Amino acid sequence: PRHGWCTNGRRFVPVRMLDVAGLVPGASEGRGLGNKFLDDLRHADVLIHVVDASGTTDDNGRETKGYDPVNDIQWLRGEIDAWVYGNLERRWPGIVRRHTATKAPSVDTLHAQLGGYGTTRDIVQRAMDTVVRTSLIASKDELAQWTLDDLHVFVNVFLDHRFPTIVALNKIDMPDSGKNIASIIKRYHKASRDGISEENIVLTSALAECFLRRMVKQNYIQYMTGDDDFVSNDDGVSNNGVELKELDEKTRRRLGNIRDLVLFRYGSTGVQDVIVRAVEVLGFVPVYPVKSLNFGAAEAFRDCVLVRKGTTVREFARKLHNRLDVGYAGAETVGGIQLAEDDVIEVGKNNIIKITTIGS
């Protein structure tokens, strides 16, 4: 592959991640990095909120004991809510007056106000559809009749669509983590609140993952991120023909603890699972653009591009390169099946695509 890698039948595709600093309560009021932190969120499609499940770090990042990590989940959503709702609430009377005067569709009016948060009209439409379908607001999509409470309800629904959030409960191998994890799972079991649902909570041990990767690099173990176990020289296994190094007693003990407290108990370190879940939430579809549809069964495609669910063949050509869009002459998939411009790309159906341009 040009980007990422393949191993044992698994394809790893890189995604861009941004570490957002300044995460403290009161960011919407200027604490920490304040609006700089919130402004960074505009560039994200999905948020991964790393939470200390052990309760040994408080909401300001200071070491402590007995802290309830649920507080971290709640205040992050609260800060984002205050940021978006606060900006709308201050200007709401003027927004409604212009909306009434121009007789614009409600979604267009809201998109004009929310576009600064890196949103698309489609996201605003989906949020409005949810409000109308569930009757969360009595006056549906009639903005002129919305109260500020109605506006706040819409903002909450909008945030669910614009900033889907994965909670990475980290330090799962620490002493107090077990009871905190149980409490958090109970709180979000079969009920979405604070912008979080149970399926978007992933248990992780970043420290264990880092140590395992270091051991791989130093040729002490065989391990692939996301695996539920590793093998060492104790197992009599070589690494692609190269004998694994002997473990000293200290390293053997530490690896044993990781195996017992993390891998066997939770199934993996969770680090790869967090990223996979983030991509799943966005509904991304992997697409393989090829120059020829004549390829071997065991051949790895050079390129893999992640596109949003619902992307059409022509939209994909435009995403790849402007020249493919301007000179677009057609596209086909495996079996020589011709694809229409407005065919939606689906996994296993037409996500291996050869694009033909004029003159090619």
Side-chain angles (χ1 to χ4, degrees):
R2 187 187 308 190
H3 304 292
W5 70 93
C6 295
T7 183
N8 297 327
R10 286 193 287 177
R11 177 81 176 241
F12 290 83
V13 180
V15 295
R16 184 177 291 111
M17 301 185 73
L18 172 67
D19 182 13
V20 181
L23 219 66
V24 295
S28 60
E29 299 169 358
R31 286 196 63 202
L33 292 182
N35 288 331
K36 171 66 170 65
F37 148 65
L38 294 168
D39 190 58
D40 283 342
L41 299 186
R42 294 189 303 108
H43 305 289
D45 293 313
V46 59
L47 307 182
I48 297 176
H49 186 191
V50 182
V51 175
D52 183 351
S54 70
T56 56
T57 308
D58 68 14
D59 53 0
N60 286 295
R62 295 186 293 253
E63 289 188 15
T64 186
K65 288 184 178 180
Y67 178 75
D68 186 353
V70 168
N71 294 336
D72 283 352
I73 298 173
Q74 291 177 320
W75 71 249
L76 176 63
R77 175 59 175 237
E79 290 301 326
I80 299 174
D81 177 270
W83 175 46
V84 177
Y85 173 72
N87 287 338
L88 283 176
E89 186 266 340
R90 285 189 294 272
R91 297 178 289 110
W92 190 243
I95 293 171
V96 171
R97 282 196 299 272
R98 284 192 299 276
H99 170 71
T100 303
T102 60
K103 298 181 180 180
S106 296
V107 169
D108 288 349
T109 295
L110 290 169
H111 180 229
Q113 303 303 318
L114 297 169
Y117 301 102
T119 191
T120 63
R121 189 185 187 283
D122 178 63
I123 291 175
V124 178
Q125 182 67 65
R126 283 190 277 124
M128 182 64 80
D129 290 345
T130 300
V131 166
V132 172
R133 184 178 67 254
T134 56
S135 299
L136 290 171
I137 297 176
S139 52
K140 306 288 186 179
D141 60 349
E142 296 297 329
L143 299 193
Q145 299 177 30
W146 280 13
T147 65
L148 289 179
D149 286 341
D150 292 335
L151 176 63
H152 209 162
V153 167
F154 175 80
V155 167
N156 266 296
V157 174
F158 166 74
L159 293 180
D160 288 342
H161 289 276
R162 174 60 189 90
F163 296 110
T165 303
I166 312 300
V167 172
L169 287 181
N170 197 32
K171 301 183 182 179
I172 54 177
D173 51 339
M174 297 286 284
D176 289 336
S177 293
K179 67 176 183 179
N180 289 332
I181 290 170
S183 174
I184 290 171
I185 295 299
K186 181 179 179 181
R187 173 177 175 80
Y188 297 100
H189 181 58
K190 295 183 179 180
S192 179
R193 59 182 73 182
D194 311 321
I196 300 299
S197 55
E198 183 181 6
E199 61 267 24
N200 288 343
I201 297 173
V202 182
L203 309 183
T204 66
S205 175
L207 188 63
E209 179 70 20
C210 287
F211 185 72
L212 291 172
R213 291 192 186 192
R214 190 162 82 243
M215 291 296 96
V216 170
K217 192 173 183 180
Q218 295 176 4
N219 199 42
Y220 281 105
I221 64 171
Q222 272 188 0
Y223 166 78
M224 178 58 63
T225 181
D227 284 353
D228 59 2
D229 199 8
F230 58 85
V231 294
S232 68
N233 184 274
D234 294 348
D235 303 297
V237 177
S238 66
N239 186 12
N240 295 322
V242 179
E243 188 174 347
L244 295 169
K245 293 180 181 178
E246 285 279 354
L247 299 172
D248 59 50
E249 195 54 40
K250 181 179 178 181
T251 303
R252 183 179 286 109
R253 242 189 342 263
R254 186 168 180 184
L255 285 170
N257 287 336
I258 290 175
R259 177 176 269 159
D260 293 340
L261 299 177
V262 179
L263 300 179
F264 284 1
R265 183 175 296 184
Y266 298 107
S268 75
T269 66
V271 173
Q272 182 66 20
D273 298 331
V274 168
I275 300 172
V276 169
R277 183 58 191 154
V279 173
E280 288 176 345
V281 163
L282 292 173
F284 278 148
V285 175
V287 189
Y288 304 95
V290 296
K291 292 183 178 180
S292 171
L293 292 171
N294 297 317
F295 49 82
E299 187 177 344
F301 298 121
R302 186 176 68 165
D303 296 306
C304 178
V305 182
L306 297 177
V307 301
R308 290 189 179 279
K309 186 177 181 180
T311 298
T312 65
V313 171
R314 187 62 180 269
E315 287 171 342
F316 176 64
R318 188 176 303 124
K319 176 181 175 70
L320 283 180
H321 201 285
N322 182 57
R323 285 202 300 269
L324 292 178
D325 180 41
V326 173
Y328 184 87
E332 58 183 317
T333 188
V334 177
I337 299 173
Q338 298 298 310
L339 301 175
E341 291 186 22
D342 57 355
D343 279 352
V344 173
I345 301 174
E346 299 179 36
V347 174
K349 179 182 178 182
N350 56 3
N351 63 322
I352 300 174
I353 300 177
K354 175 187 174 183
I355 296 173
T356 304
T357 56
I358 297 171
S360 64

